[in-house]
Amino acid sequence: NYAWRPLTEASFSLNLAWGFISMRVVNLLIHWGASLAVLWVAGLLFPDQRHLGRWAALCFAVHPLGVTAVTYVYQRAASLEALMAFLSLGLYCSARGRPWGWRDAGALGCGLLAVASKETGATLPLMLAAVEWILRDPAEPARAVWKRWLPFACLPLLVLVQVHRENALQVAAS
């Protein structure tokens, strides 16, 4: 079945409109951006172990799945989803302990863009739950954690909407 990926499709349209930039060069730039986002997230999660962030970013940059996403043009969806998910994760981590603000809005927006890139972006709430587990403060009430995390629970619903849309289109076509 065809997957509805508006951000991926928009990136291809822009790439074709610009014309002078190769599809693979754009894929490489997106992949590098995702690698830098991994470095940022690792630095936020483990501030005392800077070498860990460098190794995580390097492993992400040279991992065969990531390299495949750069070399095969339509695999841009995987690179865009990774970039948006890691940006969302970084913004979410940097927003913890502060009143709701632009970082939270940016994290949610990047999460929506991750889902709009590829359906696997719907797993972002699980990643954020893992972050909450790693950075948990036993003194913080669970309600505050749920309040911070709950807006991201809507992301898997977008995939359900997409599946319903696809099924409706197939029924209409037949």
Side-chain angles (χ1 to χ4, degrees):
N1 286 346
Y2 173 75
W4 186 61
R5 298 173 177 171
L7 182 61
T8 302
E9 293 167 9
S11 76
F12 283 130
S13 296
L14 284 173
N15 209 165
L16 289 173
W18 290 336
F20 62 91
I21 301 176
S22 160
M23 294 276 193
R24 287 187 174 85
V25 169
V26 172
N27 286 2
L28 185 62
L29 293 173
I30 292 168
H31 184 68
W32 284 346
S35 299
L36 290 173
V38 168
L39 178 65
W40 179 42
V41 169
L44 290 170
L45 292 177
F46 308 104
D48 297 337
Q49 300 172 353
R50 291 193 130 348
H51 65 283
L52 185 64
R54 290 186 202 116
W55 276 108
L58 180 64
C59 289
F60 183 86
V62 299
H63 192 278
L65 290 177
V67 172
T68 300
V70 170
T71 55
Y72 292 104
V73 173
Y74 196 70
Q75 289 301 318
R76 178 179 296 182
S79 294
L80 270 175
E81 186 269 332
L83 173 62
M84 292 301 143
F86 284 121
L87 287 176
S88 180
L89 200 55
L91 287 166
Y92 183 88
C93 289
S94 65
R96 288 182 88 254
R98 295 189 170 114
W100 208 92
W102 68 268
R103 286 179 180 93
D104 298 287
L108 189 57
C110 286
L112 290 169
L113 290 174
V115 174
S117 301
K118 192 171 183 189
E119 305 76 33
T120 53
T123 61
L124 185 61
L126 296 174
M127 287 191 271
L128 297 176
V131 164
E132 287 296 346
W133 180 259
I134 291 169
L135 300 177
R136 71 187 178 281
D137 178 8
E140 184 179 27
R143 181 178 180 160
V145 174
W146 278 104
K147 209 171 158 183
R148 182 171 50 240
W149 178 85
L150 197 57
F152 294 89
C154 70
L155 295 177
L157 297 175
L158 295 175
V159 175
L160 292 175
V161 167
Q162 181 227 328
V163 169
H164 177 70
R165 176 185 171 272
E166 178 61 31
N167 288 338
L169 290 174
Q170 285 182 0
V171 167
S174 61

